[in-house]
Amino acid sequence: VQPLSRRLGLRRSAVCGVAGKEQEGESREARQARANEVRREKMRALWRDPEWREKVLDRRRSGTAVEKHAKAIAEKWADEEYKQRVKESLKGREAWNKGVPMKEQTRRKISVMKKGVQKNAETRRRMSEAKMALNLPAHWRENIQRGKLGKTKEFFKMRREYEALQQDLKLWSDSHRVRTGRSPRAVTIDSIGLHPPLLSKLKKYLGLKAKLQEYDSTYEHDDPILR
């Protein structure tokens, strides 16, 4: 593989900041700036070549390149000194998107991605360990136990069935939301021409939700499937 300087058509002196014949009295910074400009022009010319650009992007997108990059970043962040330097350098700096309103289309995409997402077992385990390490007050467990009072085995069975149906219906709901820009409404499911099996699932889902609301009022809000 040819070195970058040769592929760009640059001499070694240009890469090092000399860039040909030095001008009388020119500072090192000026020579470096001039060499950088030469490099930029060469790179712009290369990126205008579709074939060369596609080859470079293919290498960047390859699984080996992504894995190598991820490993290098992980090794860097394992170094506490490096991590501290980055934190110090970012202190006091405003985020690039501060004050920039998010597009409605972006909000809708994020909403579709987040609603009804189930956390895997490993994520739940790490969250549990993190909470246990917080050394929460003694009444925390009591609050959880009070939240379970009055909820029978039937309730937990219905909740499992409800959550399974929710996961099953999520793809349909997300597709409807992306296509129309809004969540499907419970009052219109009979009139929008759904297939009988899907309509049956939705009615069963609504029936389970109504029963769960008798035990827990939180099921009245934040439904990721229907409004």
Side-chain angles (χ1 to χ4, degrees), residues 2-200:
Q2 290 183 340
L4 178 63
S5 58
R6 185 173 299 175
R7 280 186 280 135
L8 297 180
L10 294 173
R11 293 181 301 169
R12 184 180 296 276
S13 58
V15 176
C16 296
V18 179
K21 188 181 295 184
E22 297 184 9
Q23 296 181 6
E24 187 69 26
E26 187 178 28
S27 67
R28 180 182 177 183
E29 289 77 10
R31 293 197 304 271
Q32 186 67 50
R34 187 153 48 85
N36 288 343
E37 185 59 33
V38 173
R39 182 191 291 268
R40 279 194 291 269
E41 288 301 324
K42 293 286 186 179
M43 287 300 296
R44 289 189 188 109
L46 282 173
W47 276 101
R48 284 194 287 270
D49 179 4
E51 186 178 349
W52 186 88
R53 184 172 63 244
E54 192 60 33
K55 284 181 181 178
V56 173
L57 292 177
D58 281 343
R59 285 200 299 269
R60 289 183 182 179
R61 288 190 291 252
S62 69
T64 308
V66 172
E67 185 180 347
K68 191 175 180 181
H69 179 70
K71 185 178 179 181
I73 293 296
E75 288 175 356
K76 273 190 172 182
W77 279 101
D79 181 1
E80 290 297 328
E81 185 179 347
Y82 170 82
K83 192 185 297 185
Q84 192 60 33
R85 285 203 310 270
V86 173
K87 287 181 180 179
E88 291 297 330
S89 67
L90 293 176
K91 279 184 179 178
R93 290 174 56 181
E94 289 188 354
W96 65 271
N97 58 349
K98 183 178 180 180
V100 179
M102 189 181 293
K103 295 179 181 178
E104 186 59 35
Q105 184 181 6
T106 306
R107 289 178 181 274
R108 193 157 58 242
K109 285 181 179 178
I110 294 174
S111 175
V112 167
M113 286 169 55
K114 293 292 185 183
K115 284 187 176 179
V117 174
Q118 299 290 324
K119 297 179 178 63
N120 60 39
E122 178 62 19
T123 301
R124 291 199 300 270
R125 183 187 64 78
R126 290 204 308 267
M127 291 173 66
S128 175
E129 290 176 355
K131 284 184 178 180
M132 291 174 69
L134 290 176
N135 197 17
L136 295 169
H139 64 269
W140 183 67
R141 289 183 181 277
E142 296 174 6
N143 290 340
I144 293 177
Q145 289 173 354
R146 276 200 297 271
K148 291 183 178 180
L149 285 176
K151 294 174 182 176
T152 62
K153 289 183 178 180
E154 183 186 359
F155 165 81
F156 292 108
K157 182 181 178 181
M158 284 192 301
R159 189 176 71 175
R160 285 193 298 271
E161 191 174 0
Y162 171 81
E163 289 174 351
L165 273 173
Q166 189 178 85
Q167 191 66 22
D168 194 20
L169 293 167
K170 185 176 183 298
L171 180 61
W172 167 78
S173 177
D174 291 349
S175 300
H176 184 281
R177 195 176 293 113
V178 171
R179 187 174 64 255
T180 63
R182 61 179 182 273
S183 299
R185 300 177 61 190
V187 294
T188 62
I189 59 173
D190 287 314
S191 59
I192 57 178
L194 297 175
H195 291 294
L198 176 59
L199 184 61
S200 176

Side-chain angles (χ1 to χ4, degrees), residues 193-207:
L194 297 175
H195 291 294
L198 176 59
L199 184 61
S200 176
K201 279 186 179 181
L202 284 167
K203 288 186 175 181
K204 185 176 182 180
Y205 174 80
L206 290 171

